[in-house]
Amino acid sequence: MRSLKYVALMAVLLLTTVQLAYAAKGKGVKTTYVFGVATSFNDSTAYVTVIQQLDSVTTVGKTGILANKQEYSYQLREFMGGKGIQHATCVTVNAKSRKEAEKSLSSMKQRLAGKNKLIVKQIPAEEFDYQRVVMAHEEWMQGRVFIL
């Protein structure tokens, strides 16, 4: 009976380890470059942030998509709300390199100004900057050592 408990405990530890390894697969802590775009259906102006470098962020997959990207978009939405633009639709775009981010930003500005006929205004870096999002599981995992 006692050996059955040890076998069950070892099986649970093995499955937990496999699950943690599988969950971490494809994720990495990297540097990424981000910018945001905020628009409102009530306004003919689109607001664009400057390109910012974020260090030690979690990315998912080979594409390098920023994990929890919606949290970064919420930061921009809160900022816009503080400026009096309520219910803004905010998008955060990330890229692996500054050059890719500049290309995406240029393309986005052309699309907004040309096709959508919006006035594009830049939000200065002094007014708004993204803060690194730390999720609860990241805080919990820091400093933990798993011994099997």
Side-chain angles (χ1 to χ4, degrees):
M1 187 69 164
R2 208 168 180 192
S3 64
L4 184 59
K5 288 181 183 178
Y6 288 122
V7 170
L9 178 64
M10 292 303 288
V12 168
L13 287 174
L14 178 66
L15 290 174
T16 303
T17 304
V18 169
Q19 184 179 11
L20 286 173
Y22 182 73
K25 184 179 180 183
K27 290 185 179 179
V29 177
K30 301 178 180 171
T31 298
T32 190
Y33 297 88
V34 296
F35 68 90
V37 178
T39 60
S40 175
F41 293 114
N42 300 330
D43 194 0
S44 63
T45 306
Y47 298 90
V48 180
T49 67
V50 296
I51 297 172
Q52 299 171 20
Q53 178 179 340
L54 290 178
D55 295 322
S56 303
V57 295
T58 305
T59 58
V60 180
K62 292 181 181 179
T63 58
I65 294 174
L66 189 61
N68 305 308
K69 193 182 277 194
Q70 72 276 7
E71 298 294 328
Y72 293 95
S73 296
Y74 290 145
Q75 289 179 22
L76 181 57
R77 184 175 181 181
E78 290 297 317
F79 170 78
M80 296 305 292
K83 291 289 187 181
I85 300 168
Q86 300 298 323
H87 310 293
T89 302
C90 299
V91 176
T92 300
V93 179
N94 75 297
K96 293 179 183 179
S97 68
R98 181 170 281 283
K99 187 176 181 179
E100 286 180 31
E102 288 171 351
K103 185 177 178 181
S104 294
L105 180 60
S106 174
S107 172
M108 184 74 72
K109 284 181 178 179
Q110 288 176 352
R111 231 179 307 153
L112 291 170
K115 188 176 181 181
N116 297 329
K117 297 183 178 23
L118 295 175
I119 300 166
V120 179
K121 289 187 179 179
Q122 183 130 2
I123 301 171
E126 301 83 39
E127 290 186 25
F128 175 78
D129 63 331
Y130 285 104
Q131 300 299 315
R132 182 177 166 269
V133 173
V134 177
M135 300 308 287
H137 70 277
E138 290 178 32
E139 291 176 352
W140 181 79
M141 293 293 283
Q142 289 178 351
R144 301 279 194 246
V145 177
F146 295 98
I147 300 173
L148 297 178

